[in-house]
Coordinates of all heavy atoms in Angstrom, one line a residue:
P29 N -18.3 -33.5 14.3 CA -16.9 -33.8 14.6 C -16.7 -34.5 15.9 O -17.4 -34.2 16.9 CB -16.3 -32.4 14.6 CG -17.3 -31.5 14.0 CD -18.6 -32.1 14.1
E46 N -28.1 -36.3 -12.3 CA -27.4 -37.6 -12.6 C -26.1 -37.7 -11.9 O -25.3 -38.6 -12.1 CB -27.2 -37.8 -14.1 CG -26.1 -37.0 -14.8 CD -26.6 -35.7 -15.4 OE1 -27.3 -34.9 -14.7 OE2 -26.3 -35.4 -16.6
A48 N -23.6 -35.3 -11.8 CA -22.5 -34.6 -12.4 C -22.1 -33.4 -11.6 O -22.9 -32.7 -10.9 CB -22.8 -34.2 -13.9
T50 N -20.0 -31.0 -13.0 CA -19.7 -29.9 -14.0 C -20.8 -30.1 -15.1 O -21.6 -30.9 -15.1 CB -18.3 -30.2 -14.7 OG1 -18.3 -31.4 -15.3 CG2 -17.2 -30.0 -13.7
G51 N -20.8 -29.0 -16.0 CA -21.8 -29.0 -17.1 C -23.2 -28.4 -16.8 O -24.1 -28.5 -17.5
G74 N -8.4 -30.7 -4.6 CA -7.5 -31.3 -5.6 C -7.0 -30.2 -6.5 O -7.6 -29.2 -6.6
R90 N -7.7 -9.0 -4.5 CA -6.8 -9.7 -3.5 C -6.8 -8.8 -2.2 O -5.8 -8.1 -2.0 CB -5.4 -9.8 -4.1 CG -5.3 -10.7 -5.2 CD -3.9 -11.0 -5.4 NE -3.5 -11.7 -6.6 CZ -2.3 -12.1 -6.9 NH1 -1.3 -11.9 -6.1 NH2 -2.1 -12.7 -8.1
P93 N -4.9 -12.3 3.1 CA -5.4 -13.5 3.8 C -6.5 -13.2 4.8 O -6.5 -12.0 5.3 CB -4.2 -14.0 4.5 CG -3.0 -13.4 3.8 CD -3.5 -12.1 3.2
G97 N -10.0 -17.3 8.6 CA -10.5 -18.3 7.6 C -9.8 -19.6 7.7 O -8.8 -19.7 8.5
P98 N -10.2 -20.6 7.1 CA -9.6 -21.9 7.1 C -8.2 -21.9 6.4 O -8.0 -20.9 5.6 CB -10.6 -22.9 6.4 CG -11.4 -22.0 5.6 CD -11.5 -20.6 6.2
V102 N -3.9 -27.9 -0.8 CA -4.1 -28.3 -2.2 C -3.3 -29.6 -2.5 O -2.1 -29.6 -2.4 CB -3.8 -27.3 -3.1 CG1 -4.1 -27.7 -4.6 CG2 -4.4 -25.9 -2.8
V103 N -4.0 -30.7 -2.8 CA -3.3 -31.9 -3.3 C -2.7 -31.7 -4.7 O -3.5 -31.4 -5.6 CB -4.3 -33.1 -3.4 CG1 -3.5 -34.3 -3.8 CG2 -5.0 -33.3 -2.0
D113 N 0.3 -17.4 -4.4 CA 0.1 -16.0 -3.8 C -1.4 -15.6 -4.0 O -2.0 -15.0 -3.1 CB 1.0 -15.0 -4.4 CG 2.5 -15.3 -4.0 OD1 2.7 -16.0 -2.9 OD2 3.4 -14.9 -4.6
R116 N -3.7 -17.4 -1.7 CA -3.6 -16.9 -0.3 C -4.3 -15.6 -0.1 O -4.9 -15.3 0.9 CB -2.2 -16.8 0.1 CG -1.9 -16.4 1.5 CD -0.5 -16.1 1.9 NE 0.4 -17.2 1.8 CZ 1.3 -17.5 0.7 NH1 1.5 -16.6 -0.2 NH2 2.0 -18.5 0.7
G119 N -8.8 -13.8 -0.1 CA -9.7 -13.4 0.9 C -10.5 -14.4 1.6 O -11.3 -14.2 2.5
L144 N 3.9 -29.8 2.4 CA 3.9 -31.1 3.2 C 4.1 -32.2 2.2 O 3.3 -32.3 1.2 CB 2.6 -31.2 3.9 CG 2.3 -32.5 4.6 CD1 3.3 -32.8 5.7 CD2 0.9 -32.5 5.2
G147 N 3.8 -39.7 1.0 CA 3.6 -40.6 0.0 C 4.7 -40.6 -1.0 O 5.5 -39.6 -1.1
V151 N 0.2 -38.3 -3.4 CA 0.1 -37.8 -2.0 C -0.7 -38.8 -1.2 O -1.7 -39.3 -1.6 CB -0.7 -36.5 -2.0 CG1 -1.1 -36.0 -0.7 CG2 0.1 -35.4 -2.8
R162 N -3.0 -33.3 13.5 CA -2.1 -33.2 14.6 C -1.4 -31.9 14.6 O -1.2 -31.2 15.6 CB -1.2 -34.4 14.6 CG -1.8 -35.7 15.1 CD -0.8 -36.8 15.3 NE -0.3 -37.3 14.0 CZ 0.9 -37.1 13.4 NH1 1.8 -36.5 14.1 NH2 1.2 -37.6 12.3
A164 N -1.9 -29.0 12.3 CA -2.7 -27.8 12.1 C -3.8 -27.8 13.0 O -4.7 -26.9 13.0 CB -3.1 -27.7 10.6
D172 N -13.5 -29.9 -1.2 CA -14.1 -29.2 -2.3 C -13.5 -29.8 -3.6 O -12.4 -29.6 -3.9 CB -13.8 -27.7 -2.2 CG -14.7 -26.9 -3.2 OD1 -15.6 -27.4 -3.9 OD2 -14.6 -25.6 -3.2
S173 N -14.4 -30.6 -4.3 CA -13.8 -31.4 -5.3 C -14.8 -31.7 -6.4 O -16.0 -31.8 -6.1 CB -13.2 -32.7 -4.8 OG -13.2 -33.8 -5.7
E189 N -18.5 -37.8 5.9 CA -19.8 -37.4 5.4 C -19.7 -37.0 4.0 O -18.7 -36.4 3.5 CB -20.2 -36.2 6.3 CG -21.5 -35.6 5.9 CD -22.0 -34.4 6.7 OE1 -21.5 -34.3 7.9 OE2 -22.8 -33.6 6.3
V190 N -20.8 -37.2 3.2 CA -21.0 -36.7 1.9 C -22.2 -35.8 2.0 O -23.3 -36.3 2.4 CB -21.2 -37.9 0.9 CG1 -21.4 -37.2 -0.5 CG2 -20.0 -38.8 0.8
R205 N -17.8 -35.0 -15.2 CA -17.2 -35.5 -14.0 C -18.4 -35.8 -13.0 O -19.4 -35.1 -13.1 CB -16.3 -34.4 -13.3 CG -15.1 -34.2 -14.0 CD -14.3 -33.0 -13.4 NE -13.0 -32.9 -13.9 CZ -12.7 -32.3 -15.1 NH1 -13.7 -31.8 -15.8 NH2 -11.4 -32.2 -15.5
D217 N -22.0 -48.7 3.7 CA -23.0 -48.1 4.5 C -23.0 -46.6 4.3 O -22.0 -45.9 4.6 CB -22.7 -48.5 6.0 CG -23.5 -47.7 7.0 OD1 -24.6 -47.4 6.7 OD2 -23.0 -47.5 8.1
E224 N -33.1 -31.7 3.3 CA -33.8 -30.4 3.3 C -34.0 -29.9 1.9 O -33.1 -30.1 1.1 CB -32.9 -29.4 4.1 CG -33.6 -28.2 4.6 CD -32.7 -27.3 5.6 OE1 -31.7 -27.8 6.0 OE2 -33.1 -26.2 5.8

Side-chain angles (χ1 to χ4, degrees):
E46 77 266 53
T50 58
R90 291 197 194 183
V102 186
V103 179
D113 291 339
R116 182 188 295 107
L144 171 63
V151 172
R162 284 187 287 109
D172 194 359
S173 155
E189 179 180 338
V190 178
R205 290 173 172 81
D217 172 29
E224 199 172 344

